[in-house]
Amino acid sequence: MTVGRLLLWRHGRTAFNATARLQGQVDIPLDDVGRWQARTAAAAMLVRHTPTRVVSSDLGRARETADPLARMTGVEVETDERVRERAFGEWEGLSGPEIAERWPQEFALWRAGGEPERVGAETRLEVAQRTAAAIDEHAQRMTREETLVIVSHGAAISSAVAELMGLPADWRALAGMHNAHWAELVPSSSGVAPAWRLVGYNLGPTDASADWNAGPDRTDEHEGGSTRDPD
């Protein structure tokens, strides 16, 4: 038996996202926009789905993203460090230009699709295997009538999707996922490979703001104008 629907939900925006810094496993909180994104995305998710179990990465930004969904559904959030973001070692907290200046060859290799070496980063295969193993374990404890939400991170989610669909770890056809958006997968029929099918990717409340990464739109241009907020 396995869960009937799987939602892999990326956390909301952080200050590092806003300034294009590589986060990896740095435990940084959501910023104000990220908290608004989490609330807005949770409300949008509940229009179509009824989560019966929510499992979050142990990193603060994922746990903060899960909180509004838990509040709206009454489902308690569990944590699992296996669905945390890919570790990038010495690169964590740095911008692309800073990495390129200090590690020009490794950065060029990474940008071309290779694996950075000698910086302490996890490989894509390592991330894919640990995230997919965790997801499968949680999914197998549920029934076809249930919906599992995994609150995770951009690189971790794309790696997990590839692994769950039987694709190689270096498969890079998926675009980056927006903050507080999700991928939706359903199990294949018994004995059919791959075990999961991708229903949608980068799903979420894209119409909630003219610029999702800038935060909620004001209804007028005057100070104190109201904003769109589902909470």
Side-chain angles (χ1 to χ4, degrees):
M1 202 56 144
T2 190
V3 74
R5 194 163 303 272
L6 170 64
L7 306 179
L8 303 179
W9 188 21
R10 187 188 178 198
H11 63 80
R13 196 184 83 166
T14 70
F16 277 16
N17 289 145
T19 55
R21 292 189 173 275
L22 191 59
Q23 290 181 121
Q25 296 185 359
V26 173
D27 201 0
I28 184 171
L30 300 181
D31 63 13
D32 288 342
V33 170
R35 285 185 282 273
W36 168 79
Q37 289 176 337
R39 295 192 302 270
T40 304
M45 185 181 289
L46 292 178
V47 171
R48 296 189 57 186
H49 304 290
T50 304
T52 49
R53 193 164 174 222
V54 180
V55 179
S56 172
S57 156
D58 62 331
L59 296 179
R61 59 190 182 272
R63 187 61 177 78
E64 277 191 272
T65 300
D67 284 344
L69 186 64
R71 191 166 60 247
M72 294 175 190
T73 61
V75 176
E76 184 176 351
V77 179
E78 306 165 53
T79 58
D80 190 333
E81 66 180 10
R82 294 174 296 173
V83 298
R84 62 165 49 186
E85 182 59 298
R86 179 183 181 183
F88 280 99
E90 295 178 71
W91 288 4
E92 294 185 351
L94 302 179
S95 67
E98 289 170 340
I99 297 170
E101 181 179 359
R102 295 171 59 181
W103 295 273
Q105 293 181 337
E106 290 88 347
F107 183 71
L109 175 66
W110 179 54
R111 296 291 292 173
E115 299 281 9
E117 298 179 355
R118 297 181 297 278
V119 299
E122 282 185 286
T123 67
R124 291 189 184 90
L125 180 59
E126 289 169 336
V127 180
Q129 289 178 337
R130 70 167 164 81
T131 53
I135 292 165
D136 273 330
E137 180 182 307
H138 292 296
Q140 292 300 326
R141 293 164 54 191
M142 301 175 69
T143 70
R144 287 297 177 106
E145 291 72 40
E146 294 184 285
T147 296
L148 171 63
V149 178
I150 301 287
V151 190
S152 188
H153 310 262
I157 289 173
S158 60
S159 295
V161 168
E163 182 75 7
L164 292 171
M165 295 178 64
L167 296 164
D170 60 356
W171 185 72
R172 302 181 70 207
L174 290 176
M177 184 174 288
H178 301 314
N179 286 113
H181 282 56
W182 61 86
E184 180 179 345
L185 297 94
V186 295
S188 300
S189 300
S190 179
V192 174
W196 294 89
R197 293 178 292 158
L198 184 65
V199 175
Y201 189 81
N202 240 340
L203 305 174
T206 52
D207 63 343
S209 173
D211 182 352
W212 178 245
N213 287 321
D217 296 331
R218 291 192 179 278
T219 57
D220 59 60
E221 297 182 355
H222 302 294
E223 187 67 26
S226 61
T227 60
R228 300 179 61 176
D229 195 326
D231 243 9

